[in-house]
Amino acid sequence: MKDLELIVDSMPFLLQGLGLSLLLAALAAAGGIMMAVVLALLRLSSNRFLSGAAAVYVNFFRSMPLILVIFWFFFLVPMVIGRPVGSFYSALIAFTLFEAAHYTEIIRAGILSVSRGQGWAAAATGLTYGQSLRHVILPQAFRNMTPLLLTQGIILFQDTSLVFVVSLSDFLTTVTIVARNEGRLVSMYVFAALVYFALCFAASRVVGGLQKKAIR
Amino acid sequence: MIKLSNIDKWYGAFHTLKDCSVNVSRGEVLVICGPSGSGKSTLIKCVNGLEPFQGGEITVDGVSVGAAGTNLPRLRARIGMVFQNFELYPHMSVLENICLAQLKVLKRPRDEAEARAFALLERVGLKDHARKLPSQLSGGQQQRVAIARALAMDPIAMLFDEPTSALDPEMINEVLEVMVQLAQEGMTMMVVTHEMGFARKVADRVVFMDQGEVVEDAATDQFFSAPKSDRAKSFLSRILQHV
Ligand SMILES: Nc1ncnc2c1ncn2[C@@H]1O[C@H](COP(=O)(O)OP(=O)(O)O)[C@@H](O)[C@H]1O
Ligand SMILES: [Mg+2]
């Protein structure tokens, strides 16, 4: 009972942490997906230089531990732009660039899953390459890959717990602070686990539903 | 109107089209036939630049397809094309399928585009299906929508790549009827097909291809009564024995 009270009492603080985690995940997912569409198109380009450059980007970030990338940008971004930006923005940039690499492979597969004939049909009616992507190819590609994008989004949300390394208070950090201050490590971490589980379970149910719909 | 002169095309080291020359005059219907893998699809895709070619020249209404300065989307907007697998956009209604290029390429106002779409759907006998998704239609119906989608751009010529090959036999005629009507109205057409009944009825000329070459190019009567090459003869005897 005391544990429950503690959780209720610290709720505003915990919600701040959860809000930061969700905001960071949502912004990085949106930015990462937009960037990944461009990267995927470069990857698929017949220009060897462009597709090679995109491949280097993707493979580089995919081989780096995220925590290292977060660290780097914490030190690198202020150096490049010449003034401090705060840990949230440096973390957001790190997550976006990192997630873009992971989303690129998903989006590339999604684009390839649309049959070549669709592109021909669109081009044959006089649509430009850009128009055919926008109206014909990408809508079908996104429909095919929504489950994978969401799954990656869940992973991204879980990964936001790494931002404690640049002293941001994400959900897990706020939980840890409360747990330490009140000497309630076990119950607070059980609570954290339940919250992560509930959110991710809900999201994966959505994914499952979408997959069933995609099969039909 | 469509002029292919000495077209050569390679896929890597594979010589797909060998010195192919074909002409289609305004209002003419040309049927292209030949064994599978002979290069018919590749040839017809060269006409609107969906496939690049390495040698020779193609002009459509005087515009060179292969020239560097050609605005290909603009040229393609004037040439209708119908594919073996229909290639309707599965995420759009029938109406949207027919309107998309009218709106985005011709910049027609939406009400005008929809009016044109409905007129064409009526013409191909599918007026009541405008709001359906392609997946809710039979193959024959989908192919008629695909023809309507191409006609909505008011093309100066139509290309067909085996438009009835993916259809169940009972649906072939509903598609051929639309094509016959188009031919009789004077549309310039290039049709890859093995429907020899259709060829006899409306084709002005028949081209026979084999192994990337134009082996025979003859007036329709002449092609069926007295094919010159042995390859065309044996092809015809194989394909006509079922009719
Ligand atoms: N994208 C491609 N890459 C390599 N070879 C191809 C490609 N498309 C077609 N071919 C080859 O070119 C030849 C002609 O193909 P195609 O034009 O489709 O013949 P048809 O339509 O007469 O059956 C075939 O041998 C085929 O294997
Ligand atoms: Mg073919």
Side-chain angles (χ1 to χ4, degrees):
Chain A
M1 263 349 265
K2 257 185 98 186
D3 293 328
L4 213 57
E5 246 168 64
L6 174 61
I7 289 168
V8 172
D9 285 346
S10 14
M11 199 44 87
F13 182 56
L14 295 174
L15 279 179
Q16 253 179 28
L18 189 61
L20 182 127
S21 291
L22 288 171
L23 182 69
L24 185 60
L27 291 179
I33 287 174
M34 281 191 267
M35 223 183 123
V37 169
V38 177
L39 281 166
L41 292 174
L42 291 176
R43 277 290 259 129
L44 292 168
S45 145
S46 54
N47 181 319
R48 279 221 202 125
F49 176 75
L50 293 180
S51 73
V56 167
Y57 178 93
V58 168
N59 291 329
F60 178 76
F61 275 101
R62 271 161 48 107
S63 57
M64 288 295 133
L66 175 56
I67 197 159
L68 184 61
V69 179
I70 296 171
F71 253 135
W72 267 352
F73 279 86
F74 183 65
F75 294 113
L76 201 69
V77 174
M79 254 162 64
V80 170
I81 66 172
R83 61 185 176 84
V85 289
S87 355
F88 182 77
Y89 288 103
S90 79
L92 178 59
I93 294 171
F95 269 88
T96 305
L97 297 182
F98 182 83
E99 291 302 319
H102 289 259
Y103 280 126
T104 298
E105 291 305 284
I106 298 174
I107 292 175
R108 185 168 80 114
I111 291 174
L112 289 175
S113 75
V114 180
S115 85
R116 248 184 118 191
Q118 288 285 303
W120 280 332
T125 57
L127 294 177
T128 62
Y129 179 62
Q131 288 173 324
S132 121
L133 277 175
R134 159 96 178 64
H135 299 288
V136 176
I137 309 293
L138 287 180
Q140 294 183 59
F142 269 99
R143 200 175 58 174
N144 295 347
M145 68 203 175
T146 305
L148 281 176
L149 289 177
L150 275 175
T151 306
Q152 183 67 29
I154 295 172
I155 298 173
L156 167 59
F157 171 68
Q158 292 165 346
D159 282 350
T160 57
S161 58
L162 293 173
V163 296
F164 76 91
V165 297
V166 291
S167 26
L168 277 176
S169 296
D170 73 301
F171 177 59
L172 194 57
T173 310
T174 54
V175 168
T176 306
I177 291 170
V178 172
R180 291 238 174 96
N181 289 350
E182 309 289 331
R184 290 258 172 246
L185 287 177
V186 174
S187 48
M188 283 312 285
Y189 281 129
V190 168
F191 168 68
L194 286 175
V195 170
Y196 275 112
F197 177 76
L199 284 172
C200 294
F201 182 71
S204 59
R205 286 298 290 265
V206 173
V207 172
L210 286 171
Q211 269 165 340
K212 260 190 224 137
K213 232 171 112 184
I215 290 167
R216 264 194 280 124
Chain B
M1 152 136 19
I2 302 174
K3 202 171 157 76
L4 294 86
S5 316
N6 312 102
I7 298 306
D8 276 295
K9 176 173 176 68
W10 283 267
Y11 280 119
F14 180 65
H15 203 171
T16 320
L17 297 176
K18 301 168 188 159
D19 199 30
C20 294
S21 297
V22 176
N23 280 322
V24 190
S25 321
R26 195 174 298 271
E28 203 175 19
V29 177
L30 180 82
V31 158
I32 302 173
C33 61
S36 172
S38 56
K40 309 178 296 295
S41 298
T42 307
L43 186 77
I44 204 164
K45 285 202 190 83
C46 285
V47 173
N48 61 358
L50 289 181
E51 287 285 359
F53 48 93
Q54 284 81 36
E57 195 187 27
I58 300 179
T59 58
V60 178
D61 201 28
V63 180
S64 167
V65 176
T70 300
N71 183 336
L72 269 182
R74 182 180 296 174
L75 179 64
R76 287 176 185 142
R78 303 172 63 211
I79 311 170
M81 185 156 194
V82 174
F83 299 85
Q84 185 170 350
N85 295 316
F86 330 132
E87 303 297 355
L88 295 179
Y89 313 132
H91 58 301
M92 293 182 195
S93 70
V94 163
L95 186 65
E96 292 297 323
N97 264 276
I98 303 177
C99 286
L100 180 65
Q102 295 188 70
L103 297 170
K104 302 295 168 193
V105 179
L106 301 181
K107 314 272 187 226
R108 280 187 185 146
R110 177 163 276 280
D111 50 349
E112 204 179 300
E114 291 194 356
R116 181 91 179 100
F118 275 109
L120 285 163
L121 281 174
E122 169 130 51
R123 172 182 177 162
V124 300
L126 294 169
K127 199 169 51 113
D128 300 332
H129 300 271
R131 310 280 171 193
K132 289 188 181 167
L133 286 173
S135 56
Q136 295 170 289
L137 302 182
S138 74
Q141 291 172 327
Q142 289 190 50
Q143 195 61 300
R144 284 183 281 153
V145 172
I147 295 174
R149 177 175 69 181
L151 290 175
M153 303 297 286
D154 299 319
I156 55 169
M158 288 281 289
L159 311 173
F160 293 83
D161 187 6
E162 304 210 35
T164 58
S165 298
L167 297 178
D168 293 333
E170 73 271 18
M171 295 174 186
I172 291 177
N173 274 330
E174 64 193 56
V175 172
L176 288 181
E177 273 163 26
V178 174
M179 293 169 60
V180 167
Q181 200 194 352
L182 259 184
Q184 287 167 346
E185 285 168 10
M187 177 62 80
T188 307
M189 292 163 65
M190 233 172 132
V191 186
V192 176
T193 185
H194 290 158
E195 293 294 331
M196 290 302 141
F198 171 82
R200 276 211 170 97
K201 193 163 173 185
V202 295
D204 297 291
R205 280 181 18 255
V206 179
V207 160
F208 173 73
M209 290 185 69
D210 191 19
Q211 297 181 1
E213 288 173 278
V214 171
V215 176
E216 195 145 338
D217 180 347
T220 305
D221 290 344
Q222 199 184 336
F223 180 76
F224 285 111
S225 57
K228 274 179 268 164
S229 63
D230 289 337
R231 281 193 271 182
K233 271 182 210 158
S234 78
F235 175 77
L236 272 179
S237 68
R238 254 181 293 136
I239 191 164
L240 289 176
Q241 75 192 4
H242 304 293
V243 182

